[in-house]
């Protein structure tokens, strides 16, 4: 089977978008921001095991892709809020479905991994 140029372009587009929205930190950030704007420190506390650098990188990538806005308030210290854009809000449903599926199936996945590792 030969892919047409159109198919190759579509595959690259899907791959490019999934590389952003498919990583574990993006899914968690989008899930959390689905409830409304949040401060950086609040996001980091709720996610738990993410470094400051990784959260910063994730938020900048989401901002660059037009999924999140960053608002700086001129207070001392400065207050920074992150919020989903209209485009980002379009991700809420698929990300929620993915998160729900992961939570419902983690036991099955862990069991499959254990079996696979035991046989290897």
């Amino acid at each position: 089977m030969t892919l047409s140029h159109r198919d190759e372009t579509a595959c690259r587009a899907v791959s490019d978008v999934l590389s952003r929205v498919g990583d574990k930190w993006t899914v968690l950030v989008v899930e959390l921001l689905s409830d409304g704007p949040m401060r950086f420190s609040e996001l980091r506390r709720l996610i738990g095991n993410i470094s400051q650098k990784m959260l910063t990188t994730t938020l900048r990538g989401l901002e660059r892709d037009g999924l999140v806005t960053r608002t700086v308030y001129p207070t001392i210290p400065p207050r920074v809020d992150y919020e989903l854009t209209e485009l980002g809000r379009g991700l809420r449903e698929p990300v929620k479905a993915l998160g729900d599926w992961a939570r419902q199936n983690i036991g099955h996945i862990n069991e499959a991994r254990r079996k696979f590792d035991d046989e290897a």
Side-chain angles (χ1 to χ4, degrees):
M1 177 184 193
T2 305
L3 288 177
S4 70
H5 177 69
R6 175 190 242 172
D7 292 337
E8 289 176 22
T9 302
C11 285
R12 278 195 294 276
V14 169
S15 178
D16 184 47
V17 170
L18 287 180
S19 70
R20 162 61 51 218
V21 299
D23 78 66
K24 69 179 179 178
W25 303 122
T26 293
V27 169
L28 292 171
V29 168
V30 170
E31 264 195 310
L32 289 169
L33 291 178
S34 290
D35 293 331
M38 296 182 105
R39 297 175 79 167
F40 182 93
S41 58
E42 190 176 12
L43 283 166
R44 186 159 180 224
R45 180 179 51 77
L46 290 171
I47 293 173
N49 60 342
I50 189 170
S51 69
Q52 181 171 336
K53 180 180 178 184
M54 183 53 66
L55 182 54
T56 298
T57 300
T58 300
L59 288 166
R60 283 188 181 160
L62 289 167
E63 187 178 10
R64 179 177 182 251
D65 289 346
L67 302 170
V68 166
T69 58
R70 178 179 185 266
T71 304
V72 179
Y73 296 94
T75 60
I76 299 178
R79 177 179 156 193
V80 180
D81 284 353
Y82 294 89
E83 183 174 11
L84 292 176
T85 62
E86 183 176 342
L87 182 62
R89 287 189 296 276
L91 267 179
R92 287 185 297 200
E93 190 173 324
V95 163
K96 182 181 181 328
L98 181 59
D100 289 346
W101 183 90
R103 285 185 284 277
Q104 291 168 3
N105 290 286
I106 189 63
H108 299 292
I109 292 168
N110 285 336
E111 179 62 21
R113 288 175 180 170
R114 187 192 60 72
K115 281 175 141 178
F116 182 89
D117 293 346
D118 288 349
E119 293 171 5

